[in-house]
Amino acid sequence: LGMMGFVLVPLCLQKDLSMLSYTSTIGIFLEVVVVCFMQVRYLDGSYAPGGQFYDAIDEAHMPKFDDGVNYWGVCISTFVLLGSLMNAYLAHYNAPKYFSQSKTQTPAHFNRVVALAFVFVLSIYLWVMCVGYLTFGAASDGLILDNYANSDPGAMVARVAIGGAIVFGFPLVFTACRDSTISTLNL
């Protein structure tokens, strides 16, 4: 309740999105922290057989590479991934507000910014998916941080970081809901 009252509500009530650029930047930084943690754990082999945290994870989360590395395998979980990816790029409801509040209001500039943002986000997603899969194989959870041991201090930092990224991104999603409600109720 404290987080909601002192952090989320004031951020959600901002009419000008420029204030949220700072929190968005913090959120992006926190997501990069998570990716870097995952990369370090993959490279140091902490979750490979004999690794520092291998014995600390559940049987269900132990790395499984029975068929080797298969990047293009399709199963029912593939549809969960597709749904997540579709949701990840769902930002069209804020596009008019982003455009109207940008410093340079030309379609060409806006298209470049959006394209760059999508490429950046795609690279983060692909990085997380590849590193997560290369670390845990077929045992990779939909929420990959669940695969990491609770006793891993880096995993705890990564979990807190992703929580922070969600908190700092929430006001951007809420802005559209708030604006629609105000418009609908003629407030």
Side-chain angles (χ1 to χ4, degrees), residues 9-10 23 29 54 59 70 84 88 90 95 97 100 111 115 140 158 163 165 174:
V9 170
T23 58
F29 172 76
Y54 181 79
E59 178 82 27
N70 180 4
S84 296
L90 187 67
K97 193 165 193 170
S100 69
N111 289 341
S140 298
F174 185 79

Side-chain angles (χ1 to χ4, degrees), residues 27-172:
I28 291 168
F29 172 76
L30 292 172
E31 289 182 23
V32 171
V33 166
V34 172
V35 176
C36 289
F37 156 75
M38 292 176 64
Q39 184 69 50
V40 166
R41 286 298 183 250
Y42 168 67
L43 292 174
D44 72 9
S46 294
Y47 289 90
Q52 180 181 1
F53 296 108
Y54 181 79
D55 293 327
I57 53 179
D58 307 350
E59 178 82 27
H61 292 137
M62 294 221 169
K64 288 184 190 149
F65 293 100
D66 299 336
D67 300 330
V69 175
N70 180 4
Y71 286 112
W72 306 111
V74 176
C75 64
I76 195 69
S77 297
T78 305
F79 295 106
V80 174
L81 171 65
L82 290 175
S84 296
L85 289 175
M86 288 176 8
N87 228 6
Y89 284 100
L90 187 67
H92 66 280
Y93 47 81
N94 274 336
K97 193 165 193 170
Y98 294 152
F99 181 79
S100 69
Q101 292 188 11
S102 67
K103 290 178 184 172
T104 308
Q105 293 182 359
T106 64
H109 179 263
F110 187 71
N111 289 341
R112 277 193 306 276
V113 169
V114 169
L116 182 64
F118 272 41
V119 167
F120 179 75
V121 169
L122 180 63
S123 64
I124 293 286
Y125 289 155
L126 290 174
W127 192 3
V128 167
M129 286 188 292
C130 289
V131 171
Y133 178 73
L134 290 172
T135 303
F136 296 104
S140 298
D141 254 6
L143 179 55
I144 195 66
L145 292 178
D146 283 349
N147 281 81
Y148 293 91
N150 291 332
S151 59
D152 184 347
M156 184 55 64
V157 169
R159 289 179 182 114
V160 169
I162 203 68
I166 291 168
V167 166
F168 287 128
F170 180 79
L172 289 174

